[in-house]
Structure formats: C-alpha cells, structure tokens
C-alpha cells in the first residue's frame, strides 16, 4: 500500500461513517414516529446489530481478539462510554428540551480535540485548524432544532444528564484513538459490541416501553425494519474505529460530527423536507470543513 493511499485511509473510513450515519439519521426518527418504537427498544436492536459487524471485524482480523486485561479495559471503556451515553441521553430527552440538548451534546468534538492535543500532542495544519473551527460551527448549525418540542421540562436534572452525555461521547473519542495506539481496531470494536450487549438489561428496565412493544402487534416486522436501519449505525461505528486508527483525533472527530449534513440532504431529496436557513448555512460550512480537513 502506497504511503499516499495509507495517509488518506482515514478519510475513506470517516466518509463511510458520515454517509451511513447520515442515512441512519434520516430514517431512524421517521421510523420511530411511524412505527411507534420506543427509544429503549431502538437501543436494544442497535446493540444486536453490533453482533454481525463484530463478526465481520473478527473475520477481517482472522479470528484474533486481544483479550488481555489492558485491551479488554480500553475496549470496554470505549464501548461503555458510547452506549452508556446513549442511555443517559434517552433519560435526558424524557425530562428536558431536545432543542437545547442536541446542540449542546453536538459539541463533544471540542472535548476530543482538547484531550488529543493535550495528551496525545496532536497538531493540525493551518487548513485543518480552519476546517475544525468551521466544522464545529456546522455541527452546531445542523443540530439546532426549533419548535415542535414537547418534552416536559422538570428541574435541572436534564442539564446534568446532558453534561454527562457530552463528557461521555467526548472522552469516548479520545479513548478510541488512545486504544488504537496499542491494539487493533477490530478488537476495539468487538469489545464495544460486548459492552453494548451488556447494557441491554439496563435499557429494558429503564421504562415499560420495551415490554409493551414486544407484547404488541407486528412486533417482528417492526423489529426487522428497525434492525435494518440500526445496522447502518453499527457499520458507521466500525469504520469510525478504523478512521481513528489511521487519522488524527483532532481531524476525525469534527468530521464525524458532520453526518447531519447527509441527513438534511436526504430529507430534502427523498422526504421533501425543506431545510431551515440555519441548516443551509450548516451544509455550506460542512462542505468547506470537509475540504479543509482533508488537505
């Protein structure tokens, strides 16, 4: 493999992540609204979709799985931070306003960039620094929601939970890169999958939604449809691990957050949803950021 191709492997993998997560974002919420699938059930089905992707990772790695205590600890840390953050987000959205929570947690790349710069001594070129700044602006613009929020706001607990999600996902990105320095990407992903499965009982008992859903009608058809969409998320997670393996965290992290651009474009093309002026501005910023970050 030539050095030029190897240097750009991170870009190939992160673009796959952006596309798969963008498509997943366009149809996941739509399916939950139409099929009435609770968020906790979505988590359970997502965790199950990690299994076939983990099998693919093991096949790629010829069945090898690093299972020493350090590798297991790093892999589970990455997995539990991601999956645990998702479960905390469900609770935050149940008691707090989504239009504030989503833009807030979308800034998790700031934490990744800071940690990578301080502890991993990662640096970026002038073009890439410009791309990071514009990417953060794009992520914020694409995450802003207006109106239509019916979350019952109660006290300040939702603020604490939102902060926990922000920290969890930011620290996860750092550990994903840190783990790649001492173990293969495939082993990291397998441990991530195991961590996601371990938290299924927690998701089940978080609400009565899962019990009610699986006792309802057309459960198999709804579950298979949701599984088919959630596996896009898992595929994107696998390629994200590879992106962190070959690329700098300070570059990969802001690029990772640009998947809503694909979601907005698909909603415009397929679902005929007109983007807001903020979303249009976000798409323009994202386009420039991708160009600058890839230089």
């Amino acid at each position: 493999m030539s050095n030029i191709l190897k240097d750009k492997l991170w870009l190939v993998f992160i673009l796959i992540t952006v596309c798969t997560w963008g498509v997943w974002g366009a149809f996941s919420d739509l399916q939950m609204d139409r099929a009435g699938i609770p968020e906790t059930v979505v988590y359970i089905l997502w965790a199950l979709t990690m299994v076939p992707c983990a099998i693919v990772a093991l096949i790629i790695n010829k069945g090898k799985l690093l299972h020493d205590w350090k590798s297991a600890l790093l892999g589970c840390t990455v997995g539990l931070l991601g999956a645990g953050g998702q479960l905390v987000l469900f609770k935050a959205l149940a008691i707090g306003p989504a239009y504030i929570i989503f833009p807030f947690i979308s800034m998790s790349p700031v934490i990744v960039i800071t940690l990578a710069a301080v502890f991993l001594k990662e640096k970026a070129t002038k073009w890439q620094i410009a791309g990071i700044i514009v990417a953060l602006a794009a992520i914020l613009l694409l995450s802003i929601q207006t109106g239509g929020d019916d979350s019952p706001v109660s006290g300040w607990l939702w603020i604490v939970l939102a902060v926990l999600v922000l920290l969890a996902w930011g620290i996860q990105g750092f550990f994903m890169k840190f783990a790649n320095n001492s173990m293969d990407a495939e082993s990291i992903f397998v441990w991530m999958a195991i961590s996601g499965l371990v938290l299924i009982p927690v998701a089940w008992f978080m609400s009565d939604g899962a019990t009610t859903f699986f006792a309802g009608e057309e459960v198999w058809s709804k579950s298979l449809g949701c599984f088919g969409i959630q596996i896009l998320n898992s595929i994107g997670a696998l390629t994200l691990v590879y992106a962190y393996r070959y690329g700098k965290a300070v570059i990969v992290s802001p690029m990772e957050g640009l998947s809503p651009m694909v979601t907005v474009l698909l909603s415009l093309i397929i679902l005929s949803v007109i983007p807001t002026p903020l979303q249009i501005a976000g798409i323009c910023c994202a386009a420039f950021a991708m160009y600058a970050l890839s230089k």
Side-chain angles (χ1 to χ4, degrees), residues 166-189:
L166 173 73
L167 293 173
W169 287 353
I171 296 172
Q172 181 202 31
F174 168 76
F175 271 100
M176 193 175 289
K177 178 59 181 179
F178 182 75
N180 265 297
N181 291 334
S182 62
M183 58 191 296
D184 55 78
E186 294 84 1
S187 292
I188 295 173
F189 185 83

Side-chain angles (χ1 to χ4, degrees), residues 10 18 30-31 68-69 80 133 139 149 160 166 193 224 288:
W10 72 270
V18 169
L30 181 67
Q31 186 188 53
D68 58 281
W69 71 267
L80 291 174
I133 295 172
I139 294 169
D149 183 82
V160 175
L166 173 73
L224 287 175
F288 172 81

Side-chain angles (χ1 to χ4, degrees), residues 69-153:
W69 71 267
K70 180 182 178 182
S71 298
L73 179 61
L74 286 174
C76 288
T77 297
V78 175
L80 291 174
L81 284 170
Q86 187 67 50
L87 290 178
V88 174
L89 177 60
F90 291 154
K91 182 61 177 178
L93 291 173
I95 60 177
Y99 65 87
I100 295 178
I101 292 174
F102 278 118
F104 181 74
I105 64 175
S106 72
M107 289 295 100
S108 60
V110 174
I111 296 177
V112 182
I113 294 167
T114 302
L115 293 176
V118 173
F119 294 103
L120 302 180
K121 308 301 180 183
E122 290 190 354
K123 297 180 180 179
T125 66
K126 292 181 179 179
W127 267 104
Q128 291 170 338
I129 291 173
I132 291 170
I133 295 172
V134 176
L136 293 175
I139 294 169
L140 183 61
L141 290 169
L142 291 167
S143 301
I144 291 176
Q145 302 182 17
T146 57
D149 183 82
D150 56 358
S151 299
V153 181

